[in-house]
Amino acid sequence: MGILKNKVAAAAIGLIAATSAAWADYPEKPVVLVVPFAAGGPSDKIARDLAEALRKPLAQTVIVDNTAGAGGTIGAARVARATPDGYTLLVHHIGMSTAPALYKKLPYKTLEDFEYLGLINEAPSTLIGKPGLAANNFADLRKWISANEGKVNIANAGVGSASHLCGLILQATLSSKMTFVPYKGTAPAMTDLMGGQVDLMCEQATNAVPQIEAKKVKVFGVTSKQRMALPSLAQSPTLAEAGLAGFEMSVWHGVYAPKGTPSAVLARLNGAIRTALKDPELIKRQEVLGVRVVTDSRLEPAEHKKYVEAEMTRWGKIIKDSGETAD
Ligand code: ASP
């Protein structure tokens, strides 16, 4: 019995060693990071910075591929169905945790169809408006929204995106109906906001700061708990301090691989992500846009997954209370 047990154990160890050996040279070709939003937006920006910083530790080219639409669910589904060989990965944001409560039929299972590779950053959002908007501070904006109930257009990156979520909370806290205008990402939405085709948008500091600095959009507040230290946002109140008690939202991004990716590959990728996040260039590029690179335990795959689960519970309740759903 003991011998049999030992033989089985030895065979299992041999199998693991053989599998690890088969992946020892990974990656042997370029790795693709799928971004489920349009090019030029916050998710795209972090993915491109990460791709750049991953090149050295992976000793390979890392390519960003935008598969946008339906609030990020099309790109996420693509990665869930990809071959689990470490060559197709997903960089997705808070939408990973909000989509399950919003979509009646989600084409993947958030907790079962992915390997979690670590949370990478957190960014506050800003509430911004078109340049010609007839309000210059949050108090005026609030009056303007209620005077134009139902006529105010607020852009977002599709159902379940961070901008959609922020718009939902804003609408609920102001008790004023707005018209939600979906785009494939906040980059194209920003173009329309600057052009005055839409009135408002919630956007991560990553993409909003350059436009606020260039005075191409108006800023009414930030969604963080404390005011932001960036010079262009230091005068902007938090939305909670501007009168929306409890309004707080930070948008995080994480990296995922399809379920079944070999553990040797996952370990290699997690190690490379940790190295990439220590890259001073990457840290600097994120910090000037108000983004914090994650350095805590959520870089551990198991902690990343636990965090997503906790966010699913938190946002699930807020979404259920809002009555919002999508097909
Ligand atoms: N910032 C977008 C969002 O609102 C997504 C993106 O385009 O990166 O979710």
Side-chain angles (χ1 to χ4, degrees):
M1 192 63 186
I3 292 173
L4 184 67
K5 242 190 194 169
N6 286 345
K7 270 192 182 168
V8 171
I13 291 167
L15 192 67
I16 291 167
T19 316
S20 304
W23 292 98
D25 293 332
Y26 169 85
E28 296 177 282
K29 59 176 186 179
V31 173
V32 175
L33 295 184
V34 173
V35 171
F37 295 103
S43 307
D44 182 66
K45 276 188 188 151
I46 174 62
R48 283 178 202 273
D49 282 350
L50 182 69
E52 189 61 41
L54 278 174
R55 254 164 229 184
K56 235 197 210 157
L58 284 180
Q60 253 308 340
T61 307
V62 182
I63 299 163
V64 170
D65 188 320
N66 302 85
T67 303
T73 57
I74 295 175
R78 174 183 160 194
V79 176
R81 287 193 290 265
T83 308
D85 56 6
Y87 291 104
T88 310
L89 308 174
L90 173 71
V91 176
H92 198 358
H93 68 7
I94 194 168
M96 267 312 252
S97 67
T98 59
L102 279 162
Y103 285 84
K104 284 186 209 133
K105 277 185 248 131
L106 199 58
Y108 55 84
K109 291 196 182 80
T110 309
L111 297 173
E112 290 157 44
D113 292 350
F114 298 94
E115 305 286 356
Y116 287 63
L117 283 166
L119 211 75
I120 54 171
N121 76 352
E122 282 177 310
S125 267
T126 56
L127 176 61
I128 51 179
K130 64 180 179 185
L133 201 102
N136 287 320
N137 54 47
F138 188 75
D140 289 350
L141 180 72
R142 198 174 185 159
K143 280 186 214 139
W144 182 80
I145 293 175
S146 66
N148 290 285
E149 167 120 42
K151 285 187 261 161
V152 175
N153 291 319
I154 181 160
N156 63 46
V159 173
S161 64
S163 40
H164 174 241
L165 201 59
C166 177
L168 274 184
I169 315 175
L170 186 70
Q171 179 178 259
T173 347
L174 290 178
S175 310
S176 218
K177 277 266 169 232
M178 292 188 258
T179 304
F180 285 71
V181 186
Y183 290 81
K184 285 195 170 177
T186 38
M190 182 68 91
T191 307
D192 275 8
L193 185 73
M194 292 188 298
Q197 281 90 354
V198 283
D199 302 312
L200 290 172
M201 177 161 77
C202 283
E203 175 62 319
Q204 281 110 281
T206 330
N207 222 29
V209 165
Q211 312 306 348
I212 293 167
E213 283 174 355
K215 303 215 179 333
K216 289 187 177 163
V217 292
K218 288 186 175 185
V219 57
F220 296 101
V222 294
T223 69
S224 41
K225 202 170 192 168
Q226 259 104 37
R227 285 191 183 205
M228 288 180 68
L230 292 180
S232 55
L233 288 174
Q235 298 307 316
S236 301
T238 67
L239 289 181
E241 130 191 36
L244 299 184
F247 197 115
E248 195 198 331
M249 182 184 173
S250 132
V251 182
W252 45 264
H253 283 88
V255 186
Y256 307 81
K259 188 79 191 173
T261 303
S263 53
V265 172
L266 296 175
R268 176 98 172 83
L269 283 168
N270 182 257
I273 290 169
R274 285 168 185 273
T275 307
L277 294 185
K278 288 191 191 123
D279 182 331
E281 257 312 297
L282 176 128
I283 296 173
K284 204 171 88 201
R285 277 209 296 271
Q286 301 290 305
E287 274 176 357
V288 293
L289 296 171
V291 184
R292 206 175 60 78
V293 168
V294 169
T295 51
D296 56 50
S297 64
R298 292 170 302 172
L299 266 171
E300 288 287 343
E303 291 300 313
H304 174 194
K305 191 169 182 179
K306 262 197 223 155
Y307 185 71
V308 173
E309 269 189 278
E311 286 282 275
M312 278 167 77
T313 309
R314 175 175 169 225
W315 292 113
K317 189 180 168 332
I318 295 170
I319 291 162
K320 210 166 152 230
D321 291 348
S322 79
E324 189 82 7
T325 52
D327 291 326

